[in-house]
Amino acid sequence: MSIGNLAAATGTLRFLRCGSCGSLTATGSRLFEYTDGEAIGSGIWRHYLQVGAGIEAMVAPLDRARAGREGLSLLDVGCGFGYTLDYWRHVGGGAVVGLEPSEYGRMGRDLLGVDIRLAYLHEDDSVLARRFDIVFSSEVIEHVPDPQAFLRDLAGCLAPGGVLALTTPNAEFVRPDSPLNMVVGALSPGMHKLLFSATALESVIRAAGFPHVLVEVQSERLLAYASQSPLALEDAAAGLRARYIGYLLRRAAAPAGSADLMLGFRFRAMKELVNAGRVAEALPQADAYEALVREAYDFDPTDAAAVAARLDATRDLADHAGTMPFSLGCFLFYRAMAARQQGALPEAIRLFALAETVIRHSLGLEPVQFQEAATLLWRAAFERGFAALVAGEPGPALAALDAIPLRPEDAPGGHRFAALPPDLPPRIALLRANALLQSGQATSAEETLRAWLARPGALAPAQADEARHLLAMAASNRRIPGLRSLAARILARGRRMARRIGA
């Protein structure tokens, strides 16, 4: 396959797939050098701090490797900004050292106050002389010219019984039916030299001298654990998430000299609390985020007119860095979700619409840099339709739902990166049928429901039950038109169903 080079203004790259193991190798124009400072100079580091860094994905392998043990030392090779090191020292880990030759390492050392050496592993003799309980390397092996030599160097830093943990993009995820935004992220054309398949990654790790290896596939990412001793990994997802949320709350409460850093912690804490249904705890984080935006950017991030003025002044990513937070679209989505959970439906509808406006603008600038926002665009439209329907406004609900393209090729421009989550089409269909029924279009509702019920496996069992209930209501309404009492019952029941469909 061929694709444009993200690391150069011009040129294309070809990725060649190995017919034996399924791995992908990049060939073609200039590849990104690890110490290149272009991204830092363009202000993309602010995007990374505010929203781009996937902190939970970074730290989850560390928690699994620790398996509940306290005080373990950690070496992170290619630690970037150093979030993993900061997390480790906040959740009961032992001594931490990071290696990061790029400018991100200097920034993280200064802003987080963690031990980051601005060097490659082979350049720091003091690190090479030490042994660590856990050696971690996330999204690095795909950049190096000799993966097996790199793995042998990592193995040399492990203490007896220590665990190597690493992550890397999954070559087998790169296929036509995968979401475009995630495929581009995995390839990162111009930056990644080699993408491993799960089989190839396990083989190269074993060849580096590890007898105990586990490679897990998580969608577009591979997670690998290796040791000289049998592996004992933690599997309690709830415990991992609780520690992550606790870390975010502690960091959000601690003063920091960087508004971008604090915006990132406040946003992530608010998002996780909303997702956990802890809205009362999320609201102070949202309020603090808004106060930070007013102080750092001088506008109210929930005021539609103020946001519109900022969007008009934002023509590229450099403008974006100076006019409004990169996390704004995502923040507005979760702010709207909090309002919806509180029953403030008009405010939720307003904020979902504002989130859509911001996300659409962001994707028009540079879709690759707004991948989290891209996952929320159509969900925001769905949630706006759901909130409108529960509020008794089937017309606006239908307008919101009908704006969602059910096929990627139907989406305009950069919005093609906004992949429709696979769980959403049947929920859209049920909610749309509900809205049609509430607006008196029983025949159209019946046609929609029969079409979905006729597709084997298209609806989950609970969704099929809802469809049959709605179908019965549609048929009844079609046979007995004009009865106000029946219309009132349909409206009341439709609202109750909408709540279940949107849950």
Side-chain angles (χ1 to χ4, degrees), residues 265-282:
F265 283 127
R266 292 290 189 185
F267 162 67
R268 293 179 178 95
M270 185 269 288
K271 175 181 77 170
E272 297 301 333
L273 291 168
V274 169
N275 283 337
R278 296 160 59 180
V279 175
E281 297 172 76

Side-chain angles (χ1 to χ4, degrees), residues 19-349:
S20 175
C21 72
S23 295
L24 289 166
T25 302
T27 65
S29 60
R30 174 184 180 271
L31 293 176
F32 179 80
E33 294 301 325
Y34 202 58
T35 53
D36 280 359
E38 295 172 3
I40 303 294
S42 66
I44 298 303
W45 64 269
R46 302 184 69 178
H47 171 274
Y48 185 79
L49 268 60
Q50 292 177 7
V51 69
I55 302 175
E56 184 179 15
M58 297 177 195
V59 302
L62 297 180
D63 270 332
R64 284 210 69 197
R66 180 174 63 174
R69 295 170 291 174
E70 299 291 328
L72 300 184
S73 57
L74 168 67
L75 171 65
D76 188 343
V77 179
C79 67
F81 186 72
Y83 280 117
T84 52
L85 309 174
D86 189 54
Y87 173 84
W88 198 247
R89 66 181 183 176
H90 277 87
V91 298
V96 296
V97 176
L99 292 167
E100 178 55 59
S102 77
E103 187 68 7
Y104 279 97
R106 182 196 62 75
M107 293 170 53
R109 181 192 63 191
D110 295 344
L111 292 177
L112 294 175
V114 290
D115 184 1
I116 298 178
R117 317 290 176 85
L118 307 181
Y120 291 100
L121 178 58
H122 67 271
E123 296 173 339
D124 195 309
D125 292 337
S126 65
V127 172
L128 291 171
R130 295 175 61 178
R131 297 296 176 264
F132 297 84
D133 298 308
I134 296 178
V135 173
F136 183 51
S137 187
S138 179
E139 312 299 306
V140 175
I141 194 170
E142 65 272 13
H143 294 273
V144 303
D146 188 342
Q148 195 163 101
F150 177 66
L151 288 166
R152 286 195 296 266
D153 288 342
L154 297 179
C157 295
L158 277 173
V163 177
L164 169 67
L166 60 85
T167 74
T168 191
N170 175 18
E172 292 162 302
F173 181 81
V174 179
R175 56 182 188 268
D177 61 333
S178 294
L180 178 60
N181 63 315
M182 298 172 71
V183 168
V184 173
L187 290 173
S188 292
M191 301 179 188
H192 293 166
K193 295 179 172 67
L194 172 65
L195 271 66
F196 289 91
S197 65
T199 300
L201 184 60
E202 180 175 349
S203 295
V204 74
I205 293 173
R206 290 190 182 279
F210 289 97
H212 301 280
V213 180
L214 173 66
V215 176
E216 298 176 333
V217 177
Q218 288 188 355
S219 186
E220 78 280 15
R221 194 167 74 134
L222 300 176
L223 285 74
Y225 305 90
S227 180
Q228 297 296 328
S229 305
L231 291 164
L233 304 175
E234 181 175 346
D235 291 319
L240 303 181
R241 176 160 289 272
R243 282 194 291 274
Y244 173 60
I245 293 177
Y247 164 71
L248 293 177
L249 290 174
R250 285 192 292 273
R251 275 323 240 117
S258 165
D260 298 298
L261 188 63
M262 291 308 298
L263 281 167
F265 283 127
R266 292 290 189 185
F267 162 67
R268 293 179 178 95
M270 185 269 288
K271 175 181 77 170
E272 297 301 333
L273 291 168
V274 169
N275 283 337
R278 296 160 59 180
V279 175
E281 297 172 76
L283 292 179
Q285 301 298 328
D287 291 342
Y289 175 97
E290 292 171 18
L292 280 168
V293 173
R294 288 192 292 269
E295 180 180 346
Y297 291 92
D298 194 29
F299 78 103
D300 181 348
T302 65
D303 180 85
V307 170
R310 295 296 168 135
L311 295 179
D312 288 343
T314 304
R315 298 175 302 277
D316 53 33
L317 290 179
D319 286 342
H320 204 305
T323 57
M324 59 185 173
F326 288 101
S327 54
L328 182 57
C330 298
F331 168 80
L332 289 167
F333 173 85
Y334 288 104
R335 195 70 163 96
M337 289 295 289
R340 199 200 82 177
Q341 291 182 36
Q342 287 188 305
L345 295 179
E347 179 68 356
I349 293 167

Side-chain angles (χ1 to χ4, degrees), residues 342-379:
Q342 287 188 305
L345 295 179
E347 179 68 356
I349 293 167
R350 185 185 76 83
L351 290 172
F352 280 130
L354 189 55
E356 291 175 63
T357 299
V358 174
I359 293 171
R360 287 175 185 274
H361 184 273
S362 298
L363 294 177
L365 294 179
E366 180 51 76
V368 173
Q369 296 296 339
F370 293 94
Q371 294 190 44
E372 181 174 356
T375 67
L376 299 178
L377 176 58
W378 307 130
R379 196 171 292 279

